[in-house]
Amino acid sequence: MSPTILKKRSLTEFFSPNSQKKAKYSPPLDSVISKDHPCSSHPTYPFPVPHLPNHIAEKLSESPHTEGKAINDQPDLDLLYFQPFVAKSVEKVFFEFLRSQLFFYRVQYKIRRGTIETQINTPRYTTVFGLDETSRFGPDGSIVEAATSGPVATTKYPTCQPRPIPQCLDELRKITEVFTGTTYNFCLVNYYASGADSISYHSDDERFLGPLPAIASFSFGAKRDFLMKHKPVLPKEGDAATAEINNAKPLKLPLASGDMVLMRGKTQANWLHSIPKRKSGESDKGRINITFRKAMVKGGTENYYQYNVGLGGVWRWDNKEKEMRPWQSKKED
């Protein structure tokens, strides 16, 4: 397969001629997030989420900062790698904004293997926004049927309370859709507080994503290794294709702040990926991972909220303590 390259274009180029812009001063967040700053609100939000300050939104709209490089030289692998997608002039303040303004969860859940039940403590902070293709949010924030615009039955989502993507994340979603040629209805956010936070090898190959899902994965904050390996295939005597698959080389992408990897085609069905634990480097500075994806049916909505919200309490970044702390509503009054 011959590599394909997406040419760098900014959204502003659709409406105005090219021009050289000087780097703008980025004021401290606490000077722009005032009480009257516009916010995204919803009954399911524990607290309002501020809109992006103008100086961040303007810089973000100039993405992608570099061309996307295709990586498709191994069996069933189809990636587009931006180094970076979001420019250095804004990636740091965007990371700090998201970490300080979003709400997170430290999800716990139980899995059963035969007669044995195991308690799982998610080794990272998570949050999720979105709704599958069978429904949508109405202008007032209520959930309606996508096909009829009528209200959904109260029993449609019995295990979760879906919530819309806040403006600060939706701006990035819109830009991502333009440059990946794909639409997304879900945004998952992971916060890795230190090198001890991780995610084991897995693939996002759930049926509710469809047969050839595209997932755009962003990295902000600390650099972390993104590992990939082909799923093993049972060998067949004389089958050269199987031998080629089992000889596929593992990948290690050193994801830096602002980088984005688009995983598409047969990748999820055939490759595993992980963020391993790390004890050195800059991993203790914290990292945010944002993934945009598209759930086709309501099972996707229930799955994402179960494993990214769960039943635990809300956590929020404490700028004085420089760590995530349990959040109490009375503190926000």
Side-chain angles (χ1 to χ4, degrees), residues 209-215 263-269:
L209 291 173
L212 298 172
I215 297 178
M263 298 175 280
R264 58 190 179 182
K266 297 180 180 180
T267 303
Q268 295 298 335

Side-chain angles (χ1 to χ4, degrees), residues 8-148:
K8 171 188 169 186
R9 294 187 68 192
S10 70
L11 291 182
T12 55
E13 288 176 331
F14 287 114
F15 308 103
S16 61
N18 292 332
S19 61
Q20 295 293 327
K21 294 185 177 181
K22 295 181 179 180
K24 294 183 178 180
Y25 166 69
S26 296
L29 287 177
D30 57 6
S31 70
V32 294
I33 308 299
S34 58
K35 288 186 177 181
D36 58 352
H37 189 84
C39 293
S40 298
S41 299
H42 192 264
T44 59
Y45 289 9
F47 50 80
V49 179
H51 289 191
L52 286 177
N54 288 337
H55 68 282
I56 299 179
E58 289 174 5
K59 283 294 184 181
L60 193 65
S61 72
E62 297 172 8
S63 303
H65 186 65
T66 60
E67 299 173 350
K69 176 183 178 182
I71 302 177
N72 52 18
D73 57 349
Q74 297 206 63
D76 309 312
L77 185 66
D78 191 358
L79 308 178
L80 196 62
Y81 189 15
F82 293 83
Q83 294 179 277
F85 189 97
V86 176
K88 296 298 180 185
S89 60
V90 71
E91 50 83 9
K92 182 178 180 181
V93 70
F94 186 56
F95 163 73
E96 291 173 347
F97 175 89
L98 294 178
R99 181 169 65 175
S100 64
Q101 302 302 326
L102 292 177
F103 42 86
F104 291 90
Y105 303 86
R106 197 80 172 187
V107 178
Q108 297 179 339
Y109 58 92
K110 295 180 179 180
I111 59 172
R112 181 179 293 275
R113 294 187 178 94
T115 59
I116 301 175
E117 189 173 71
T118 304
Q119 176 81 26
I120 302 296
N121 299 311
T122 304
R124 59 195 174 279
Y125 296 90
T126 60
T127 195
V128 62
F129 305 91
L131 195 57
D132 64 86
E133 284 290 279
T134 68
S135 304
R136 62 178 176 81
F137 292 101
D140 62 353
S142 63
I143 302 175
V144 299
E145 293 287 353
T148 66

